Amino acid sequence: MPTIPLPHEHGQIMEHTINEIPTNQSFQTISDIFKLLSDSSRVRIFWLLCHCEECVINLSAMMEMSSPAVSHHLKALKAGNLITSQRNGKEVYYKAADTQQVKLLHHMIEDLMDITCPIQK
């Protein structure tokens, strides 16, 4: 790939950086994930599901939100591939997806908020 000529020369060698710029689609994927996490309730639900698998009714009680509101957030998180669901009889249980991306987001949230995972029993 030829080097893109820059209009201003600042004494930096940018050839390697310019040639390694990810595609716009790569940045769009990240932007879409951050949009999903732009709602504090959604971040709380996501964080909670990184630590447990739960149904909508229990999540609603934990979040002190209505079931339809929680369901709305779960739908968005699932569409973004951040959580998965599993039906067991009439109940649907949700948990964080088991991907490297989700693990990184989970740790990023905890690092930014200076919180730690609850103790697993």
Side-chain angles (χ1 to χ4, degrees):
M1 172 182 267
T3 302
I4 301 168
L6 298 176
H8 295 117
E9 176 59 46
H10 297 290
Q12 300 177 42
I13 300 173
M14 299 296 294
E15 183 174 329
H16 177 72
T17 303
I18 292 169
N19 290 334
E20 298 297 322
I21 295 173
T23 64
N24 283 339
Q25 183 55 43
S26 296
F27 286 104
Q28 186 61 51
T29 299
I30 293 167
S31 177
D32 291 343
I33 290 169
F34 285 150
K35 284 178 193 173
L36 277 173
L37 298 176
S38 67
D39 182 282
S40 61
S41 294
R42 200 169 293 144
V43 174
R44 286 180 70 209
I45 292 168
F46 172 72
W47 180 84
L48 184 60
L49 292 175
C50 287
H51 300 100
C52 65
E53 183 176 30
E54 269 306 341
C55 66
V56 173
I57 299 298
N58 286 350
L59 286 169
S60 298
M62 288 184 238
M63 298 296 298
E64 298 179 333
M65 296 173 63
S66 70
S67 293
V70 169
S71 293
H72 169 78
H73 291 303
L74 291 171
K75 182 179 178 181
L77 291 168
K78 190 170 179 185
N81 297 314
L82 297 182
I83 65 170
T84 61
S85 64
Q86 173 181 302
R87 182 172 289 280
N88 186 356
K90 292 184 179 184
E91 294 286 346
V92 177
Y93 292 89
Y94 296 88
K95 67 178 181 177
D98 188 19
T99 66
Q100 184 62 26
Q101 184 181 58
V102 165
K103 291 174 188 171
L104 288 170
L105 288 170
H106 171 216
H107 292 297
M108 178 195 71
I109 290 165
E110 291 186 345
D111 287 348
L112 288 172
M113 292 180 52
D114 196 26
I115 58 175
T116 57
C117 292
I119 297 172
Q120 301 287 329
K121 294 185 179 184

